[in-house]
Amino acid sequence: QPGTVKLANGSSIPAIGLGTWQAPPGEVEGAVATALREGYRHIDCALIYKNEAEVGEGIRLSGVPREEIFITSKLWNTFHPNAVESLRRSLKDLGTDYLDLYNESSELLPVNPDGSRAIDRDWDMGKTWAQMEDILASGKVKAIGVCNWSIPYLEELKKTWRSKPSVNQVELHPHLPQHELVAWCKKEGILVEAYSPLGGSGGPILSDPDVASIAKKHNVSPANVLISYHVNQGIVPLVKSTSPSRLKSNLQTVKLDEDDMKKLNELSEQPGKHKRYNTPLFGWDLGFDDWYGPQDKK
Ligand code: A2P
């Protein structure tokens, strides 16, 4: 593991995390156990990934003591009025009595009378955050954060927060560098976590010629460059793999020089390369502007 990064609350978070989103049941248990044996000490989970019980099994299978592992889970969107219940389910499934980090995603999704779900635009996110702060005070989680928050949402929350989020977890990679958001979080002392750092499965960033040339220069894989891009800036990438060899090789980081970083930071300015690969509300077909603030658009 390439070291740790400090959170605003003073605790440390391992610099690379294992992502578990879309890790299929039947594979995630083995991947978690292998990752822990290979040296990962940070696992990023969520209730909505619907695989936390298996992640918990993988942790126990690895033989690595709970207290050596940094575990994150997330409040799911249907639980904004009852954050404690979402947490209770995650703790039960993971088989642990505390989390190192608990993240809130955006937007309340209540169930309509016909069973469908829609976003409640009138929901006050400050009400959810107040519950997160109470959960923090209860000691069941050591830090609280948010996921997929853009600057306007964060500015709004800032008006009422008692504890600021320790992290903001967003999609981040050279095709979606979100420079303004990263700078805002840095200024506020909020750590940025990067999901989909490789641009997702078979994504075009891994085969981008500029990434390939930097990889060749350092004699590493394109994935190592994309992971190092974050680690070099103190951003924590959450990398998903279920392949033992890729799990292992993804822990290798390199020191990228100024020229490499400039290239990667400016990659999304090339025609057609500014691209988001995930819709956080998968399953709920939202338009781009519905979810993100205008600063996210190019
Ligand atoms: P696999 O699980 O077969 O390794 P992201 O983290 O950006 O969402 O990307 C995850 C995807 O990238 C997974 O589908 C994973 O597939 C693949 N992946 C993980 N590590 C590497 C790597 N070193 N080289 C190529 N693909 C990788």
Side-chain angles (χ1 to χ4, degrees):
Q1 261 283 356
T4 58
V5 181
K6 279 262 176 276
L7 287 178
N9 69 359
S11 64
S12 297
I13 179 168
I16 293 177
L18 176 72
T20 58
W21 181 33
Q22 292 178 338
E27 283 181 38
V28 71
E29 177 182 323
V32 166
T34 305
L36 287 168
R37 287 178 187 143
E38 290 294 347
Y40 286 78
R41 286 296 179 269
H42 173 184
I43 305 177
D44 186 82
C45 319
L47 185 67
I48 190 60
Y49 302 168
K50 299 192 167 94
N51 59 10
E52 289 191 316
E54 274 197 52
V55 170
E57 283 306 316
I59 291 170
R60 283 182 287 284
L61 195 66
S62 74
V64 176
R66 165 67 184 96
E67 60 274 17
E68 283 185 24
I69 309 168
F70 190 102
I71 305 179
T72 301
S73 186
K74 306 182 194 90
L75 172 80
W76 176 236
N77 291 339
T78 49
F79 285 92
H80 282 254
N82 192 355
V84 169
E85 174 57 18
S86 190
L87 175 67
R88 188 191 66 76
R89 294 185 190 197
S90 287
L91 291 173
K92 179 170 162 280
D93 286 354
L94 288 162
T96 178
D97 55 6
Y98 74 98
L99 295 175
D100 298 278
L101 174 64
Y102 196 46
N103 283 345
E104 174 201 30
S105 13
S106 302
E107 306 285 14
L108 176 69
L109 283 175
V111 183
N112 293 327
D114 66 359
S116 65
R117 296 191 193 281
I119 287 179
D120 179 356
R121 301 231 165 256
D122 296 328
W123 180 257
D124 172 6
M125 297 304 284
K127 273 199 207 165
T128 310
W129 191 248
Q131 294 173 68
M132 297 291 281
E133 291 169 324
D134 290 345
I135 286 173
L136 178 67
S138 77
K140 286 208 161 92
V141 307
K142 293 187 176 174
I144 48 175
V146 293
C147 293
N148 298 315
W149 281 51
S150 54
I151 296 172
Y153 278 76
L154 289 161
E155 291 278 15
E156 192 56 34
L157 188 69
K158 192 180 168 185
K159 293 178 186 161
T160 56
W161 74 37
R162 288 173 282 147
S163 304
K164 67 181 166 196
S166 284
V167 311
N168 184 20
Q169 181 180 131
V170 295
E171 177 176 339
L172 207 69
H173 44 66
H175 285 184
L176 190 72
Q178 309 215 54
H179 296 305
E180 275 182 60
L181 179 65
V182 169
W184 193 96
C185 290
K186 202 165 260 180
K187 182 183 87 205
E188 290 290 337
I190 296 172
L191 180 83
V192 177
E193 293 183 321
Y195 72 77
S196 287
L198 310 179
S201 177
I205 318 181
L206 280 168
S207 52
D208 192 291
D210 284 312
V211 175
S213 78
I214 296 170
K216 198 165 169 217
K217 174 173 149 187
H218 293 280
N219 198 23
V220 294
S221 74
N224 294 135
V225 170
L226 296 170
I227 293 164
S228 301
Y229 169 67
H230 294 305
V231 173
N232 277 242
Q233 313 178 60
I235 290 171
V236 173
L238 306 168
V239 196
K240 186 226 133 193
S241 180
T242 49
S243 138
S245 64
R246 285 193 285 277
L247 276 170
K248 187 174 179 179
S249 67
N250 286 348
L251 280 182
Q252 187 191 349
T253 54
V254 282
K255 177 91 195 79
L256 299 171
D257 60 36
E258 254 177 58
D259 194 41
D260 303 330
M261 288 304 285
K262 187 169 181 306
K263 258 194 201 145
L264 294 168
N265 275 325
E266 292 174 359
L267 206 60
S268 68
E269 290 166 26
Q270 295 176 14
K273 288 201 180 169
H274 184 260
K275 198 161 169 22
R276 179 181 294 281
Y277 294 103
N278 295 282
T279 306
L281 277 181
F282 52 94
W284 287 278
D285 199 18
L286 275 188
F288 198 81
D289 289 329
D290 276 336
W291 185 263
Y292 299 100
Q295 93 289 343
D296 198 31
K297 210 174 170 187
K298 250 222 149 109

